[in-house]
Amino acid sequence: MHVSGYAVRSGMVPRSDSNQDNDEALVTNIINGVQTDSNEFGFAAQIFLKSGNSYRFVCTGSLITENYIISAGHCAIINNTKMSPDSYRIVVGSRSLGDPNSGTDYYNVVKINPGDYATNSAHDVALFKLEKSVPSSVATPIKVYPFRVYNKLPVTVAGWGVTTAGTSTPSNVLLKTVVNISSSTNCTDYNDDWTTNYGALLCQESYNGNDSCQGDSGGPLVTLYGGEQVLVGVTSTGGNKDANASNDCGTNTIAYYSRAAYFLKFISDETGITPRVLSQRIAL
């Protein structure tokens, strides 16, 4: 599968299963992950897309305001088609993977704003507006990390899905793994749109097998700041640096994340909340 705009190699794939051609598509997820603590990722959201007469899990997201979820643009525009808001159901505030087909509480989506992703695939973010606000007793929105991202910044990625590539049953619990920010020449070699980690994209290389994967798209890349998780990036795309390798995730891979702070104005314009408030617990 190709991602438009990632022209250096064909192995770069969106890290969701929403672009697949059938309902049985592989939903791989956090590689070398462990379970999250009870409230560690309380802002994480599960995005389900209608397929036939039921809904299937396709992407991860984050509660960015009380009634908006931030996720990947390719979770909203699939096969060059912007999906209808009523095609989605979103579960918020649970570590356990829900099932909106059978009684799990969920939120309907009333609006989707994928920004300019349709014409610029390097801007891989989208905002999903919920039909009603999420009570603070259910989940608290995550704040955006507004500073420069450097190689040694300790970051963790989280999402739902299988624990081993090649299987097809998502994990029942939210998983996380520590990954490594990179600015090596590989970052440009495998993606012409990456220039530095100060721009729209962040680069991550897997040196120890820890990685995000399909099903994690749109999910949070976070760091701790002032004792709280803050949003550094949104999971976008990745692949193996060896074109002949069988694994797109895990060992010897490279991945890209949309840098959250780069899109603060976009988020602010859509939500009506100022960039300062979107990161209000962080000293600017």
Side-chain angles (χ1 to χ4, degrees):
M1 181 186 306
H2 292 259
V3 184
S4 175
Y6 295 104
V8 175
R9 61 182 303 269
S10 61
M12 294 294 112
V13 294
R15 297 214 147 171
S16 77
D17 76 328
S18 58
N19 291 49
Q20 304 294 335
D21 296 329
N22 61 73
D23 294 344
E24 302 302 322
L26 176 67
V27 186
T28 54
N29 203 33
I30 296 294
I31 307 300
N32 288 351
V34 296
Q35 291 188 26
T36 62
D37 296 334
S38 57
N39 296 316
E40 189 178 9
F41 287 85
F43 52 83
Q46 307 162 24
I47 301 177
F48 295 82
L49 179 64
K50 193 170 186 178
S51 177
N53 294 320
S54 63
Y55 291 82
R56 63 188 177 96
F57 172 73
V58 292
C59 286
T60 301
S62 299
L63 187 69
I64 194 73
T65 74
E66 63 183 15
N67 63 335
Y68 274 92
I69 302 294
I70 189 169
S71 189
H74 70 262
C75 295
I77 297 178
I78 299 171
N79 295 327
N80 297 317
T81 301
K82 182 180 176 181
M83 306 305 291
S84 171
D86 60 12
S87 298
Y88 293 90
R89 290 178 175 177
I90 296 183
V91 175
V92 185
S94 174
R95 284 193 304 161
S96 300
L97 187 68
D99 183 2
N101 301 297
S102 60
T104 299
D105 288 340
Y106 61 85
Y107 292 84
N108 290 317
V109 177
V110 295
K111 180 183 179 182
I112 301 173
N113 185 349
D116 63 350
Y117 173 71
T119 56
N120 187 350
S121 62
H123 291 180
D124 192 8
V125 295
L127 293 168
F128 294 73
K129 185 178 182 180
L130 306 179
E131 64 173 339
K132 58 184 179 181
S133 297
V134 178
S136 58
S137 58
V138 173
T140 302
I142 188 172
K143 298 299 178 179
V144 173
Y145 179 79
F147 308 116
R148 284 190 173 187
V149 177
Y150 51 91
N151 286 6
K152 293 185 179 181
L153 184 71
V155 289
T156 300
V157 63
W160 286 268
V162 305
T163 57
T164 305
T167 61
S168 59
T169 303
S171 170
N172 287 324
V173 293
L174 182 64
L175 299 176
K176 66 177 181 179
T177 194
V178 174
V179 293
N180 300 102
I181 297 293
S182 174
S183 58
S184 79
T185 56
N186 286 330
C187 296
T188 302
D189 290 345
Y190 289 89
N191 189 337
D192 286 337
D193 289 322
W194 185 91
T195 52
T196 71
N197 287 321
Y198 312 149
L201 291 174
L202 301 173
C203 179
Q204 172 234 316
E205 290 190 84
S206 178
Y207 307 114
N208 53 11
N210 293 1
D211 199 10
S212 57
C213 202
Q214 281 84 4
D216 288 326
S217 277
L221 180 75
V222 302
T223 193
L224 277 174
Y225 189 87
E228 296 185 38
Q229 300 277 28
V230 289
L231 188 65
V232 177
V234 174
T235 305
S236 178
T237 188
N240 201 296
K241 288 178 280 190
D242 180 355
N244 297 315
S246 59
N247 63 298
D248 287 323
C249 314
T251 304
N252 194 43
T253 57
I254 191 165
Y256 299 90
Y257 299 77
S258 300
R259 186 170 69 90
Y262 184 89
F263 297 96
L264 264 173
K265 185 178 185 303
F266 164 67
I267 300 168
S268 176
D269 289 346
E270 171 60 31
T271 64
I273 298 174
T274 66
R276 181 172 293 275
V277 172
L278 287 165
S279 56
Q280 67 181 2
R281 289 197 292 266
I282 302 173
L284 293 174

